[in-house]
Each structure stands twice: as structure tokens, then as C-alpha cells.
Amino acid sequence: MEVLIILVPLALSLGFLGLLGFLWSLKSGQYDDLDGAAWRAIADDAPASDQGRSK
Amino acid sequence: MQAEIDFSHYLRNAGAGLVHLDLAVEGINCAGCMAKIERNLSTIPDVTSARVNLTDSRLALEWKAGALDPALFVSRLAELGYKAYPFERDDAETLEAQRAQGLLRRLGVAAFAAMNVMMLSIPVWSGNGSDMLPEQRDFFHWLSALIVLPAAAYSAQPFFSSALSALRARGVNMDVPISIGIVLALATSVIETINHAEHAYFDAAIMLIAFLLAGRYLDQNMRRRTRAFAGNLAALKSETATKFISPTEIRTVPAAAIRPGDIVLLRPGERCAVDGNVIEGRSEVDQSLITGETLPAMVTPGSAVFAGTLVRSGTLRVRASAASGGTLLDEISRLLDHALQARSRYLRLAERASRLYAPVVHATAFLTMLGWLAYGASFHDSIVTAIAVLIITCPCALGLAIPAVQTVASGALFGSGVLLNAGDAIERIAEVNRVIFDKTGTLTLPELDVANLAEIPGDVVSLAGRLALSSRHPVAAAVARKAGAASPLPDIQEEPGQGVYGLHEGSPIRLGRPSFCGADDLANEILCRDPEASVVAFRYGEFRYVFAVRQRSRADAADVVAELARMGIAVEIVSGDREPAVRLAAEQLGVHEWRAGVLPVDKITRIEELARQGCKVLMVGDGLNDAPALAAAHASMSPVTATHLSQAVADAVFLGERLGPVLAAVKVSRRALRLMRQNLWLAVVYNVLAVPIAIAGLVTPLIAAAAMSGSSIIVMLNALRARAREAV
């Protein structure tokens, strides 16, 4: 059961990383336009304006 | 016209020498439009970002400050086939968007915590039945506590704060039992963990929070979407005003940029965008949007004019005023305040349910504890059982029962062209048993229409329409619109206050007052038949025709009235217009009860009188004079063409030229209310089944988690049945 000493912090930090990822995606406005995002995924090529978009 | 607009009001500094502009764009509805617009605008030099938001039909642009004229974007979009208008988020929309984002953040935290706790709970559930060491179990419980306590403290704040404010106001809402349940579940779990007990309820508590937040987020998101849509509509109406920037110079600016004291120019055919007083000029004005009166009135220097007034004949200069000295507006705002206070006393279904629910559940838990004590159980065991009762009854299903239906129903209404303003609109609209319609602009269309088109040959109509394009008079504009004219005739001159005239293929041609065209006899004939019509005469060579121009009923108004009657809803017309006009409309639509020449205060009196008789009134109106009545009625709706004030106080706004959305709103709301009640009963049935198990002391965390999720899912699935749209 000593393996728990590694596994538990690992599991917790992975969960925490996932949460951080979600909060980041929320903050960067990725949930503002869900309809558009669905279509962008299958667009032929990304419009030039997407590159270097920060907000 | 658009290119002349002064954009400076809408530009924002985006930092680093960049300028930001938001545009509402009409007609973006697919991924193709999105890609086309973004690609095209990105090719303009100095544009650093062009991003379409497909959900909200908006375009965000950034470019290097000073490098480009914003009007360029509008004209470029026009070339692509899209109408674009500068756009400004109003406070209400910003607030809804912030709330939706806050709820999503809390939901994310709660959901991640729930996932991680489940990872710890499942070993404990299975270990309790087999060979788990007590030390390991305690360790897992402490880990759960480490995750859940901070997550719950953060993500359950909306429930805690709403429960606190309800308690402060000495009331109870659904959040009170929810908060008590959450706090008790967490506190017991911590105490049980300290005492090395087998069971802790960390997982159930955080899952409950996540489920409830999901329901609230969906509700809030629907509201945010409606607001964004309404904001676009306001921008697409593109209210502009012509402002004097010096005594001789004028510029077209957005109405929002007009400040009190500014002087505004109004030309014939224009709709006034501000409230103010006339300082120069005389004109006939159409105040039907304000008072419901269709007969034109005369304004002279000193007269008050209101936003929505249509100028018919002369040019006016108006000084904008903030707190208008106009007695009408003052009286209306006074009536409005009064009516809005009365409305806030409405008790929602959820509140009524929780008033019953909270005492029953808390008493049951208390009795359970006393019962077990009397039966001889230890104090500790009795308390734990009582808390298990609270946890199992913790209104997960109850907390979702209403918001879930509400979300789904507002989505269905959105699809039928109805935008909800108020959170409790569905419940109130569902309860109505009487509809009061305003006439002008509500039963009728706000734009004028040619009534006798069938009696005039088609080629004459199209020729008259082309001639009418040279006039700005609203009655002539109606002829042009109806004829679908696009190319004006060349060399046409205007005789102010009379009409327009010129030569067409060698023969004189004129359009205007009957006397101007020598057609008084024809005009009188029409006026005898239809005294409500405005007439405009047309003369080409020796041919003479007279167009009867009047407000037309919405195409489906009679059907809607009949269908409402079939549903057992009484229909009544209460209008500020004169008696003959109202009587005619009532006869055409088959409405037997009508009142004409009603003042704003009398509209309220009528509604209060009906309320005393036990009627629940749905008021449908658009004018400034309807605003107090809209606020006083049990529920209210406005067409999207209504004045700002009326739209703001109405529970719902409907789109389009048809009256059908009113009927759809009643039907969808009734179905939604039925589903809400059903969901509440489902929750009650669940409790009746689960509570005896809890009282018997048989609830383990596994049972609690399964029962809660199961009941939530059933309620959610039932709510989806509200999705069926009403065809309009």
C-alpha cells in the first residue's frame, strides 16, 4: 500500500491540472461562442486572423 | 446613409495602439458566412483581428489606431451581403454574461471535485464490504474532505448567498433547504471522519452542488443568449439622430450619443430618437407609437415630442431633454414605479413549494431524531440518522424541477420568436385567463399599408410607387413600399406640403394631396367608406387614382383571437385611439369587448378591476402609454417594434409581423407550468419512497448518491418534454 504515497498526490495533481486547464479555457473566452467553435473545427483552413489571437 | 454615421461613440481603445469595434451583423447563420467575413476583413491592411461570434451574430474587429475609417468595414460587409451596425453591450447584458460565466466557473470547480472524490469514494464503498483497513478508510475520507470542503465553499456560494438574503427578508426559498442540507452533510461527514466512522457524505454533497449548478448555468445561459439577441435587434434598428454640432453644421450620430441639451434636426419621414421639446418648425406628427392615437397631431415650438414620434410634413428642431417636462412622460413614470412595486410581490412556484417543503422536511428530520432517542438509540446514532433524512430529502430533484423546465421552455419560446425578459415570465403567462390587446402597433402593424391595392391596376401602382420614392412623406413611403418600387423617376420636384410632380414620357405626373391632383371627389368617396384612412392621390395625364393608406391588422390577428377564445381565454381591446378606429378593428377581428380613448391611468384601472374579479390578465401592448399597464398586468408582452420603455417592462418581447408568438407563448408556458408541477410531484414521490429508508437508518452514502442522481436525471428528462416548439 506504500504505492499510495505516489499515486494519491499524482491523482490529485492531475485532477488539479485538469481544473486549471478548464479555468484557463474559460478565461480565454473559449465558451463564448460554442456554435462557431463547432464549425471552426471542420473549416477548410483557419482564417489568417486566428493566428496569434490572444483574447 | 450608414457610412455617414459617426462611429467614435463605439470605438474602444484595446491597448498597444489598437482600436476595438463590435458590430452586430445581420444574416450570419452558417460557418460559410463566418469564414467568408473573417477571411475578407483580415485581408484589409492594418486589421489585426476579425473574429465572428456565430452564437451571438457579432463581429469583433481590431485594427491599428488611426489607420482605418470604421465605415470601411460596414461598406465591405455590405459588399459581402451583410448588414452591419455598430453595437454597444448594455449593462443588463454584461451582467447576465458575467453571471453565466461565474456559474460556469463554479460548475467546473464542483464537477472536477466530484470526479476526484468519486475516485476515492468507490474504493471506500467496495472496501467497506470487504477487507479495507480502518486507517485506509480514514485516509480516503480525509482526502475527500481536503478536496470537497474548499470546492464546496467556493462553488456553493450562489446557494448560500441567496438563502441568506431570503432568511434576512424573513422568507424561505428553495436555497434555504439546499444550503442547510449541504452544510449539515459536510459537517456530519467531517465529524464522522474524526470519529473513524464507516460513512461520510462528501461525494453526495459535492454531486448535489454540481447538479444544481448545471441547472442554474443552463438557465442563466439561455437568459444571456436572449439578452444578446435583444441587444442585436436594438443595434440593427440602428437608431440615429441628426445632431447640430454647430449652429449650421449637422452630423448623423447614434441616438445613444445624444446628451440632454443637444439640438436635433428632424426631417419629414424620420422617426424621432430622443425625447425633447420643439424649438423651431411646425409639422404634423404621428404619435401612434406613444399614445395609440392614429390621427396625426400638430406640433409647434414648445410642444413636447417623444422618442418614436414620426414626423410627417415639416422639418423640426428639437432640444433633447433628460427628465422631460412633458406631463405624459412624468405621469407614465409615476404610474410605472407604482405598478412595478406591486409586481415584485408575486410568489413563484418554487417559493411556494419551498414554503411547504422546508418545514415538512426539517420537522421530519427532527421527529426522526426524537423517535430514535425514545427507541433507545444513542444520541450520536439518532443525530446521524436525522441528518441522513435531511441529505436524502435534500432537494436535488426539487431544486432542478423548475429551472430545468424553465430553460427548456425558454429555448422553445426563443425558437417561436418570443424573448423572455423576466425570470418568472413563463409561470405568469401560463396562468392568464384574459388577454388585453392594445390596438395600434400591436393588433395592427406599426407601418402604414395601402388598403385598396386590389382596385388599382398594377402598372399604375408601380408607376405611382416610383414617383413616391421622391417624397419623404410617410404616406407616400407606404405607397412606394407596397409597390416594391426601387428606381425613382427622373426630374421630379417637390411642392412642400402638397406633393411631388414632374413629367413622365411627355405627360404630367403628380402624387400628393387630393386637391393637388384634382381628385377630391375620388378621395371623398374613399373617406366616406373608411374615415380612418389617409388618402394620397395620383394623377398621370388624365388618369386619376386615390390610394387609401391605413394601418393594417397583423395577418394572423383574427386567427389568434379565435384560437385564444377556443382555449377559454377572453380577449379584449383597450386602446388610446378614437372610438371609430377601435370599433372597426374590433369588428374585423371578432372581439366583442373593447374600449377606446383610454388614458394610461384608466388602462391600469381596468386591469385592477379585472384583477379584483379574479382575472389574470395578459397585457399585450407597444406604446409609451401602455407601459404602466404592461407593468400592472399579471403578465405582459410587447412587439419588438415597441418603445424602449414598454419593451423594458414587458415580461416578453415577440418578433416579426405576426401575432402568432403571443399564442405560442401562452401554449408553451402552459405546457411548461404543467411539466413544472409534474416535476415537483416526481420529486415528492421520490421523497416518499426514500424518506422511510432514511428514517429506518438504512441509508448508506452509496444509496444517497444513487438516489440523488437518479431523481435528478428523471426530472431533467421530464423537463426535456417542454422542448416541442409551437409553430407560428
Side-chain angles (χ1 to χ4, degrees):
Chain A
M1 279 297 148
E2 285 72 27
V3 72
L4 282 181
I5 296 167
I6 303 169
L7 285 183
V8 165
L10 189 66
L12 287 185
S13 51
L14 280 177
F16 193 66
L17 274 181
L19 179 59
L20 285 186
F22 169 75
L23 291 180
W24 166 80
S25 67
L26 181 65
K27 201 170 179 189
S28 65
Q30 297 190 25
Y31 294 88
D32 289 352
D33 178 21
L34 294 176
D35 294 356
W39 287 105
R40 277 176 211 277
I42 56 164
D44 292 342
D45 51 357
S49 67
D50 274 9
Q51 290 159 13
R53 207 180 78 90
S54 59
K55 199 185 163 187
Chain B
M1 286 289 279
Q2 276 303 314
E4 298 162 15
I5 294 185
D6 181 4
F7 279 87
S8 55
H9 179 73
Y10 295 105
L11 298 180
R12 266 195 301 119
N13 190 346
L18 295 177
V19 185
H20 183 101
L21 173 69
D22 284 317
L23 292 173
V25 187
E26 205 169 9
I28 300 187
N29 42 26
C30 66
C33 309
M34 184 169 79
K36 191 161 93 182
I37 292 174
E38 288 185 352
R39 253 175 243 164
N40 193 296
L41 293 184
S42 306
T43 56
I44 302 177
D46 293 326
V47 171
T48 54
S49 160
R51 179 103 177 160
V52 170
N53 183 328
L54 193 62
T55 316
D56 297 342
S57 296
R58 286 175 186 171
L59 171 64
L61 288 162
E62 271 175 26
W63 67 93
K64 288 184 190 142
L68 295 165
D69 177 9
L72 170 75
F73 299 114
V74 175
S75 57
R76 185 68 80 94
L77 283 166
E79 282 167 27
L80 292 174
Y82 301 99
K83 273 190 183 170
Y85 299 91
F87 170 78
E88 189 180 38
R89 269 191 178 198
D90 64 2
D91 296 344
E93 193 197 326
T94 314
L95 192 71
E96 301 281 3
Q98 276 169 358
R99 278 195 196 144
Q101 203 172 30
L103 279 173
L104 186 56
R105 197 181 310 122
R106 290 176 205 277
L107 172 61
V109 171
F112 269 93
M115 280 188 248
N116 284 288
V117 167
M118 270 306 162
M119 183 184 76
L120 298 166
S121 292
I122 290 173
V124 175
W125 294 344
S126 55
N128 271 342
S130 54
D131 56 352
M132 190 179 223
L133 298 175
E135 292 78 24
Q136 285 171 350
R137 193 177 57 216
D138 282 354
F139 177 60
F140 274 46
H141 278 165
W142 280 120
L143 277 178
S144 306
L146 180 74
I147 299 169
V148 167
L149 291 180
Y154 173 70
S155 54
Q157 272 169 20
F159 307 113
F160 295 155
S161 58
S162 139
L164 266 184
S165 57
L167 287 178
R168 267 200 209 113
R170 296 180 187 283
V172 182
N173 62 10
M174 204 54 106
D175 290 329
V176 173
I178 290 175
S179 303
I180 293 178
I182 292 172
V183 169
L184 280 181
L186 291 176
T188 328
S189 303
V190 171
I191 294 168
E192 291 287 279
T193 307
I194 293 173
N195 292 333
H196 311 290
E198 260 183 40
H199 299 313
Y201 297 95
F202 293 115
D203 44 4
I206 194 74
M207 264 189 350
L208 166 73
I209 296 172
F211 263 119
L212 291 174
L213 281 172
R216 299 227 171 158
Y217 167 68
L218 289 175
D219 188 27
Q220 185 66 38
N221 199 37
M222 191 64 226
R223 240 181 268 178
R224 185 203 65 82
R225 222 180 139 175
T226 315
R227 278 273 169 224
F229 192 77
N232 282 5
L233 283 177
L236 297 178
K237 275 209 256 167
S238 82
E239 291 196 325
T240 57
T242 312
K243 172 184 160 183
F244 282 90
I245 50 171
S246 74
T248 51
E249 246 182 304
I250 54 170
R251 181 178 288 170
T252 308
V253 297
I258 297 285
R259 302 276 162 258
D262 284 349
I263 295 175
V264 171
L265 180 71
L266 287 175
R267 287 166 289 203
E270 285 184 346
R271 223 176 248 288
C272 182
V274 295
D275 296 328
N277 290 86
V278 177
I279 53 173
E280 199 183 306
R282 297 166 62 85
S283 171
E284 274 188 339
V285 294
D286 175 353
Q287 304 242 30
S288 63
L289 198 55
I290 293 109
T291 57
E293 168 73 75
T294 46
L295 209 65
M298 198 69 193
V299 293
T300 50
S303 313
V305 289
F306 304 97
T309 303
L310 182 68
V311 181
R312 288 177 69 137
S313 50
T315 301
L316 298 174
R317 285 190 188 200
V318 171
R319 187 189 299 278
S321 54
S324 171
T327 50
L328 176 68
L329 210 60
D330 282 348
E331 189 195 338
I332 282 175
S333 32
R334 192 176 54 75
L335 290 171
L336 201 56
D337 287 346
H338 189 69
L340 284 173
Q341 273 169 17
R343 181 195 274 185
S344 62
R345 288 198 284 269
Y346 177 75
L347 212 56
R348 300 183 60 173
L349 184 58
E351 290 163 39
R352 277 177 281 158
S354 57
R355 278 196 178 183
L356 272 178
Y357 172 86
V360 168
V361 164
H362 294 152
T364 313
F366 189 65
L367 288 177
T368 307
M369 189 185 82
L370 290 185
W372 277 102
L373 275 178
Y375 190 68
S378 72
F379 187 67
H380 167 264
D381 285 353
S382 313
I383 291 255
V384 168
T385 314
I387 286 172
V389 171
L390 276 184
I391 294 174
I392 203 90
T393 54
C394 195
C396 195
L398 219 50
L400 281 173
I402 290 166
V405 176
Q406 187 139 323
T407 310
V408 179
S410 20
L413 285 173
F414 192 73
S416 306
V418 180
L419 309 182
L420 296 179
N421 264 343
D424 50 1
I426 291 181
E427 289 172 41
R428 285 190 277 117
I429 292 177
E431 288 169 356
V432 300
N433 53 17
R434 194 175 190 98
V435 181
I436 295 186
F437 285 106
D438 169 48
K439 182 185 74 77
T440 319
T442 305
L443 287 173
T444 63
L445 286 166
E447 287 193 327
L448 294 170
D449 185 62
V450 180
N452 61 343
L453 210 57
E455 299 162 19
I456 299 172
D459 53 332
V460 174
V461 173
S462 59
L463 190 61
R466 290 177 65 193
L467 179 59
L469 283 175
S470 305
S471 168
R472 302 192 67 165
H473 197 282
V475 174
V479 173
R481 192 167 50 237
K482 204 63 197 170
S487 49
L489 294 176
D491 301 325
I492 300 299
Q493 288 168 32
E494 181 154 13
E495 178 90 28
Q498 296 297 318
V500 285
Y501 64 97
L503 276 179
H504 179 66
E505 291 172 356
S507 312
I509 185 167
R510 41 177 61 192
L511 178 93
R513 286 179 184 272
S515 55
F516 180 65
C517 303
D520 279 325
D521 50 335
L522 289 174
N524 286 337
E525 211 174 287
I526 286 181
L527 287 174
C528 285
R529 253 188 295 142
D530 185 359
E532 293 309 308
S534 298
V535 286
V536 56
F538 173 68
R539 180 175 194 139
Y540 177 44
E542 287 313 304
F543 299 109
R544 296 175 309 151
Y545 293 96
V546 173
F547 294 91
V549 176
R550 54 174 298 128
Q551 288 196 315
R552 180 169 53 105
S553 298
R554 290 180 190 259
D556 58 346
D559 298 340
V560 169
V561 167
E563 180 66 26
L564 284 172
R566 218 179 349 254
M567 289 165 67
I569 297 175
V571 178
E572 181 174 336
I573 298 176
V574 174
S575 172
D577 206 355
R578 284 149 306 119
E579 192 192 319
V582 181
R583 179 189 302 143
L584 190 70
E587 277 167 8
Q588 277 174 355
L589 298 174
V591 178
H592 304 299
E593 267 191 84
W594 52 269
R595 277 144 212 271
V598 185
L599 296 173
V601 63
D602 296 332
K603 286 197 179 190
I604 291 194
T605 315
R606 174 68 186 150
I607 285 173
E608 280 168 354
E609 181 190 331
L610 286 168
R612 267 196 302 278
Q613 293 167 14
C615 292
K616 306 241 162 154
V617 175
L618 171 66
M619 173 80 205
V620 188
D622 72 323
L624 197 60
N625 62 330
D626 296 317
L630 289 169
H634 186 68
S636 51
M637 292 181 76
S638 271
V640 71
T641 47
T643 53
H644 290 297
L645 194 61
S646 306
Q647 277 189 42
V649 296
D651 293 319
V653 173
F654 65 94
L655 311 176
E657 292 212 333
R658 298 161 64 85
L659 201 59
V662 175
L663 186 64
V666 175
K667 283 186 175 170
V668 171
S669 302
R670 286 192 165 185
R671 192 166 55 217
L673 187 65
R674 206 162 52 234
L675 284 171
M676 285 179 194
R677 295 218 170 103
Q678 249 173 39
N679 267 356
L680 286 178
W681 279 113
L682 278 176
V684 168
V685 168
Y686 152 79
N687 274 335
V688 167
L689 293 178
V691 166
I693 304 177
I695 293 178
L698 296 175
V699 170
T700 63
L702 176 63
I703 294 180
M708 267 186 204
S709 317
S711 63
S712 303
I713 288 168
I714 290 175
V715 169
M716 281 281 205
L717 288 178
N718 194 38
L720 286 180
R721 299 203 296 142
R723 219 168 60 164
R725 283 180 194 171
E726 278 302 318
V728 252

